[in-house]
């Protein structure tokens, strides 16, 4: 079965940095377009970044220049490096294959809180 386990979240001050990791089992990540999603309190889940098998990337406008998505095929892991964090980045962050997200299957996610 597919398992995607997010880690690396926590409490950080505005302007700080955090790196999220997504360790996969039951799926080879480099054959799927993978995404990082987030859900802020009281809001809908949104797609914030993707990385394709060929390593091309996309970002939502609000994180461009601050976040970087990457993959390590040997470790079968996806990362999200988050710099210059803002309070509005506070959310539960999830990783998923884009096609799997469309079926509404999700892991537990990992909370990022940006606050003074």
């Amino acid at each position: 079965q597919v398992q995607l386990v997010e880690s690396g979240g926590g409490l950080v001050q505005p302007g700080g940095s955090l790196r999220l990791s997504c360790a996969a089992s039951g799926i080879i990540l480099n054959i799927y377009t993978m995404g990082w999603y987030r859900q802020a309190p009281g809001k809908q889940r949104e797609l914030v970044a993707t990385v394709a098998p060929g390593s091309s990337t996309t970002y939502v406008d609000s994180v461009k220049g601050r976040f970087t998505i990457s993959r390590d095929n040997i470790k079968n892991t996806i990362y999200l490096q988050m710099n210059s964090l803002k309070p509005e980045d506070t959310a539960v962050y999830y990783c998923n294959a884009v096609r799997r997200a469309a079926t509404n299957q999700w892991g537990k996610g990992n909370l990022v809180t940006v606050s003074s």
Side-chain angles (χ1 to χ4, degrees):
Q1 67 276 17
V2 174
Q3 286 192 306
L4 299 168
V5 181
E6 303 94 341
S7 63
L11 176 63
V12 64
Q13 295 186 43
S17 297
L18 221 52
R19 189 177 77 160
L20 301 181
S21 298
C22 174
S25 61
I27 180 175
I28 304 300
L29 298 185
N30 69 358
I31 64 172
Y32 298 98
T33 295
M34 299 296 300
W36 282 98
Y37 301 75
R38 67 185 180 187
Q39 188 167 25
K43 297 185 178 180
Q44 291 278 92
R45 182 182 280 115
E46 68 170 342
L47 178 63
V48 300
T50 67
V51 57
S55 296
S56 61
T57 59
T58 69
Y59 300 91
V60 68
D61 285 346
S62 61
V63 309
K64 286 181 179 177
R66 300 189 298 119
F67 289 12
T68 303
I69 187 172
S70 62
R71 67 200 310 154
D72 185 324
N73 293 333
I74 294 174
K75 294 182 178 180
N76 206 32
T77 299
I78 302 294
Y79 302 97
L80 185 67
Q81 178 67 47
M82 303 183 292
N83 298 326
S84 301
L85 283 161
K86 303 175 180 180
E88 51 263 46
D89 296 318
T90 296
V92 176
Y93 284 73
Y94 303 84
C95 72
N96 213 345
V98 171
R99 63 181 297 167
R100 185 170 180 265
T103 71
N104 205 30
Q105 299 177 82
W106 303 93
K108 293 182 178 180
N110 200 244
L111 178 63
V112 172
T113 302
V114 185
S115 176
S116 298

